[in-house]
Amino acid sequence: MGLSNVRNAPEGPEYPKPPIRAKRQIVKKLRKDYHPPNIRLADFVQQQILPNEYRYTALNPEEDVIRLLRLQAGKGDERLHCSFEVVSLAKGATRPGYEALSYCWGTDEPSKLTRINDDPNNKFYRDVGSLASVVQSKFLGLGFNIRDNLHEALKHFREPGQDVMLWVDALCIDQDNEKEKTQQVAKMARIYSLPDHVLIWLGAGLESCKSAMDFVHGTIELPKLNVMVQQGTDLFKWDQLVELLRYQWFSGRWVVQELAFAHDATLHYANTSVYWTEFADAVALFVNRIEEIKGPVPNEERIQSRTRTPRERHGPWS
């Protein structure tokens, strides 16, 4: 019997009303008791009921392949949408075009929702047997929660008018598949030597760190640097550079490997950026002339500032 017939049928015990869906009751309860005002209800329900809808298609261990993330065009606070493409690293294969992301994972719980559009032929969704699940996986995207720092990085590097191809370890490797993780980590040297560019994401939020990034451009001009050191001007900017260097990314063991194989890399903090080679030169100049820089002004507050722990200065990200 069609739904219209049920609605139009005379009242009676033989025509019971359709039951209320259990999920509808859950949604109402979440809206009433738990829904934070700054999160879209759909996203909040996604996080509470289906933390991760997306299921990876396993890579063939016999093939020399990696996943790339296609970050779909978007801007501002629009929800992140992406998909995966499997590409070959085998000798003779077409060189894949992409950028590799270097960043700190963080220790927070993955709570930022992104949508992954998947191949509807994925065995997991075929087994579900629902047309709705196939349509959602292909066109609407399946929910997958990521950490805050990665979420900010993807929003930053997303383009408004075109898709961006990235390699991102937390997404391009199935973190629940230990065998795949071992095989993919073994390819790390090639993964970071093949891309057009390596994007280093430090984060956002501190105005002093953004100022330090701008300051780097001036320090590599030797005549200007000599004047600053001799006259003792802009000393606070050197402090800002020290503050930036305290970020956790600079102490990560993975940094040496990623930069050793990268042909071209840029450092990004909020909406400011600098070439890695320029940044490294600025730090080298700072180290070589540190006695001249700190000599003119033995400021007690600056000394205390430099000796504070990273967690005291920046919170859990450092």
Side-chain angles (χ1 to χ4, degrees), residues 161-174:
Q162 62 182 6
D163 295 351
V164 177
M165 297 299 294
L166 297 171
W167 186 86
V168 184
D169 55 359
L171 289 172
C172 294
I173 300 175
D174 182 357

Side-chain angles (χ1 to χ4, degrees), residues 41-299:
L41 179 63
D43 290 349
F44 184 68
V45 172
Q46 170 74 48
Q47 295 171 13
Q48 300 299 318
I49 300 177
L50 294 172
N52 281 329
E53 292 177 306
Y54 183 77
R55 299 293 185 275
Y56 283 87
T57 301
L59 297 175
N60 188 339
E62 303 300 321
E63 298 179 355
D64 190 8
V65 296
I66 62 171
R67 289 187 193 87
L68 292 181
L69 183 76
R70 177 180 291 276
L71 183 59
Q72 296 178 11
K75 59 184 179 180
D77 291 329
E78 293 176 359
R79 181 183 292 153
L80 293 172
H81 280 264
C82 52
S83 59
F84 290 120
E85 294 185 15
V86 177
V87 298
S88 175
L89 301 184
K91 187 176 181 180
T94 302
R95 178 178 175 273
Y98 66 98
E99 296 174 296
L101 182 63
S102 178
Y103 68 105
C104 286
W105 278 37
T107 57
D108 56 314
E109 287 296 319
S111 61
K112 298 295 185 180
L113 183 68
T114 185
R115 291 283 182 182
I116 300 178
N117 298 78
D118 195 45
D119 180 359
N121 293 318
N122 183 324
K123 183 178 183 299
F124 175 81
Y125 304 109
R126 291 203 314 270
D127 291 346
V128 170
S130 166
L131 176 61
S133 66
V134 173
V135 171
Q136 182 178 6
S137 68
K138 179 65 176 177
F139 301 106
L140 303 180
L142 296 158
F144 196 88
N145 290 324
I146 59 178
R147 289 185 170 92
D148 185 68
N149 196 38
L150 176 56
H151 186 260
E152 289 299 315
L154 294 179
K155 286 204 305 181
H156 177 80
F157 293 118
R158 178 174 58 177
E159 296 285 347
Q162 62 182 6
D163 295 351
V164 177
M165 297 299 294
L166 297 171
W167 186 86
V168 184
D169 55 359
L171 289 172
C172 294
I173 300 175
D174 182 357
Q175 300 299 321
D176 293 326
N177 186 330
E178 293 299 327
K179 184 177 180 180
E180 179 178 303
K181 284 170 63 176
T182 300
Q183 293 173 336
Q184 290 292 296
V185 168
K187 305 177 192 291
M188 206 66 74
R190 286 185 294 162
I191 289 173
Y192 276 92
S193 64
L194 287 174
D196 305 316
H197 199 73
V198 173
L199 304 168
I200 303 167
W201 174 253
L202 296 181
L206 290 178
E207 190 63 36
S208 60
C209 290
K210 289 189 282 186
S211 299
M213 295 282 285
D214 294 330
F215 178 58
V216 166
H217 294 288
T219 59
I220 59 175
E221 300 176 18
L222 291 180
K224 185 175 180 180
L225 174 64
N226 289 332
V227 172
M228 283 192 296
V229 173
Q230 292 169 5
Q231 297 182 357
T233 57
D234 295 332
L235 292 175
F236 71 95
K237 292 184 179 180
W238 293 106
D239 284 334
Q240 292 175 342
L241 180 59
V242 172
E243 188 170 358
L244 182 64
L245 288 170
R246 290 179 181 273
Y247 268 76
Q248 186 181 358
W249 183 86
F250 292 100
S251 61
R253 293 189 300 272
W254 67 89
V255 170
V256 175
Q257 178 180 343
E258 293 174 355
L259 290 178
F261 296 107
H263 297 298
D264 189 31
T266 49
L267 201 65
H268 297 259
Y269 187 91
N271 59 353
T272 60
S273 63
V274 63
Y275 283 107
W276 169 252
T277 52
E278 292 184 3
F279 187 86
D281 287 344
V283 172
L285 289 169
F286 172 72
V287 172
N288 289 335
R289 307 189 67 169
I290 189 170
E291 295 301 325
E292 298 175 75
I293 292 168
K294 71 179 184 179
V297 186
N299 188 298

